[in-house]
Amino acid sequence: MTDPEAPLATIRARIAHAAAVARRKAESVTLVAVSKTRPAEAILPLIAAGQRVFGENRVQEADAKWPALQEAHVDIRLHLVGQLQSNKAEEAVRRFDCIHSLDRPSLLTALAKAMDKVGRRVPLFVQVNIGAEAQKGGCVIADLPALLTQARATDLPIKGLMCVPPAGIEAAPFFALLGKLADDHGLAGRSMGMSEDFETAIMLGATHVRVGSALFGARS
Ligand SMILES: *Cc1c(COP(=O)(O)O)cnc(C)c1O
């Protein structure tokens, strides 16, 4: 895929259709265009086509790539969708407008400190290790109540929950489970669904879908 404008229109249409089937407004779903590993030349056509929300998974890569792109379009919003080390919390708070990967108490402490220092409140999603996979990031379900209690005590802006379900099996039950956990904790945001399964996620209540390869082509 060399022309990302056509895929963007297609993805937007698919989002609108899935939302309509679920009797939801298309505007209730935010498309996060995951541009990790993509050079500026691949991103510019999407910006030209009106896309304004982008996702990156590394602070360093975002710091290198985005200042120039954002200079021309001040309304671009960057979301961090990758794991975050506590020692990068301040850079992340400066660079990103939303962080989808809060998953442990030490990171929460670091983000609270960074937000105070920078003077900026960045909305957060708590990433849940929804399939209880040892190798994957995210808070285990049993630890979620304590992490949310700590977040509320620190007065951090928690927008919702995020998950990356196990690969290679049906994602729907995991999306449903994330939705139930969000309901249980009174959280409106659900960051779930990627290129392969964003329509399913929308049917199950996703408010943010994170789509990379369906927009930009396969990552090398
Ligand atoms: C890379 C990535 C995505 C996008 O994945 P695609 O399959 O390319 O759509 C979404 N979420 C996270 C956390 C990612 O790391």
Side-chain angles (χ1 to χ4, degrees):
M1 275 184 252
T2 49
D3 171 21
E5 277 184 58
L8 177 62
T10 304
I11 297 299
R12 281 184 179 157
R14 287 171 59 186
I15 289 172
H17 183 255
V21 171
R23 307 170 68 88
R24 300 179 55 199
K25 292 204 167 88
E27 308 84 69
S28 68
V29 182
T30 298
L31 170 61
V32 181
V34 179
S35 51
K36 65 188 185 199
T37 76
R38 315 293 177 173
E41 308 83 80
I43 298 170
L44 280 165
L46 265 77
I47 296 175
Q51 178 64 27
R52 289 295 180 268
V53 182
F54 290 87
E56 291 284 344
N57 70 338
R58 292 177 57 225
V59 178
Q60 213 178 347
E61 183 182 340
D63 277 345
K65 210 158 70 181
W66 281 96
L69 291 165
Q70 285 182 291
E71 213 165 279
H73 297 276
V74 294
D75 54 343
I76 285 173
R77 297 289 172 263
L78 287 186
H79 289 221
L80 179 64
V81 301
Q83 281 187 40
L84 179 59
Q85 291 166 6
S86 294
N87 63 7
K88 297 263 172 65
E90 189 181 326
E91 282 127 296
V93 164
R94 288 185 195 281
R95 174 63 49 207
F96 291 95
D97 303 290
C98 184
I99 294 173
H100 292 234
S101 48
L102 168 59
D103 63 357
R104 57 194 189 279
S106 59
L107 180 58
L108 196 153
T109 304
L111 285 169
K113 208 171 135 194
M115 286 190 212
D116 282 346
K117 183 171 173 200
V118 176
R120 189 163 191 257
R121 312 284 285 167
V122 178
L124 304 169
F125 283 89
V126 174
Q127 183 174 351
V128 179
N129 188 341
I130 202 77
E133 296 173 281
Q135 78 282 11
K136 232 178 222 166
C139 168
V140 302
I141 291 174
D143 293 344
L144 183 60
L147 188 58
L148 288 172
T149 299
Q150 186 192 346
R152 288 186 171 127
T154 329
D155 200 26
L156 287 192
I158 303 289
K159 216 174 156 70
L161 302 180
M162 178 273 211
C163 72
V164 181
I169 59 171
E170 177 55 62
F174 299 98
F175 294 154
L177 178 56
L178 193 81
K180 182 183 184 303
L181 293 169
D183 280 346
D184 288 350
H185 292 284
L187 295 166
R190 292 110 208 264
S191 168
M192 58 190 197
M194 316 201 300
S195 291
E196 297 301 314
D197 50 26
F198 65 89
E199 285 142 316
T200 303
I202 290 168
M203 297 284 300
L204 289 162
T207 60
H208 293 67
V209 293
R210 311 177 310 266
V211 178
S213 44
L215 283 171
F216 293 99
R219 273 180 300 275
S220 47

